[in-house]
Amino acid sequence: MNGAMLDLAVDYPLLNMFWTMMLCFFWVLWFMLLFRVIGDIFRDDEMNGWGKAGWTIFVILLPYLGVLVYLIARGRGMGERELKRAQQHEKAFRSYVQESAGARSAADELSRLAELKNRGDITAAEYEQAKAKVLTS
């Protein structure tokens, strides 16, 4: 068995291994591009159902030609839609973080103010002013 493995290694030169790796790389790259195009077709809100169906059929039946034509015809919009989607996600994430970090209840604020007053960090007048501000908001 060990001799058979050695013969296999000798019969498959380094350059052939390089070309096999390149083919695998391009095969994976092709599928990534194909899935990216199909994903863009279904995520496009401006395209109607018939347009989505037509592009999908074209990309599935003639994949190389379909993807090439899609990238030529709608490639610029593909990047713009992706940028718009990323900006919307960023905006939603920022609003979520601000909402989560800044959302304190009035009871929490009042207890914090009472603690500041008890420690002597604020005067009674400042405490009453801040308390009124918390209760009105």
Side-chain angles (χ1 to χ4, degrees):
M1 183 71 176
N2 207 2
M5 292 296 271
L6 185 59
D7 288 340
L8 180 63
V10 171
D11 289 339
Y12 203 69
L14 185 63
L15 190 58
N16 285 356
M17 187 171 61
F18 172 75
W19 286 116
T20 302
M21 288 174 47
M22 287 297 289
L23 287 174
C24 288
F25 172 76
F26 284 121
W27 189 68
V28 170
L29 184 68
W30 163 250
F31 276 107
M32 288 177 60
L33 182 62
L34 182 66
F35 290 135
R36 173 95 183 221
V37 166
I38 291 173
D40 185 66
I41 290 170
F42 285 107
R43 285 188 201 115
D44 188 5
D45 295 331
E46 297 171 2
M47 191 185 310
N48 63 13
W50 287 107
K52 290 180 183 185
W55 276 113
T56 304
I57 290 170
F58 187 41
V59 166
I60 289 174
L61 292 181
L62 300 169
Y64 293 108
L65 182 64
V67 167
L68 183 66
V69 170
Y70 186 85
L71 290 176
I72 292 170
R74 300 181 48 90
R76 175 180 280 247
M78 199 171 161
E80 291 169 355
R81 284 187 295 276
E82 185 64 31
L83 178 65
K84 182 180 171 185
R85 200 170 13 262
Q87 288 172 344
Q88 288 173 345
H89 286 293
E90 177 72 20
K91 183 179 177 184
F93 175 72
R94 287 186 183 275
S95 68
Y96 170 75
V97 168
Q98 287 176 350
E99 178 183 309
S100 297
R104 288 195 203 186
S105 68
D108 292 338
E109 277 296 316
L110 289 175
S111 66
R112 188 182 65 83
L113 286 172
E115 184 180 332
L116 288 172
K117 180 184 164 203
N118 291 340
R119 282 193 317 211
D121 292 339
I122 60 174
T123 64
E126 291 172 332
Y127 170 74
E128 290 300 325
Q129 183 181 11
K131 178 179 159 185
K133 186 175 178 183
V134 167
L135 291 176
T136 58
S137 61

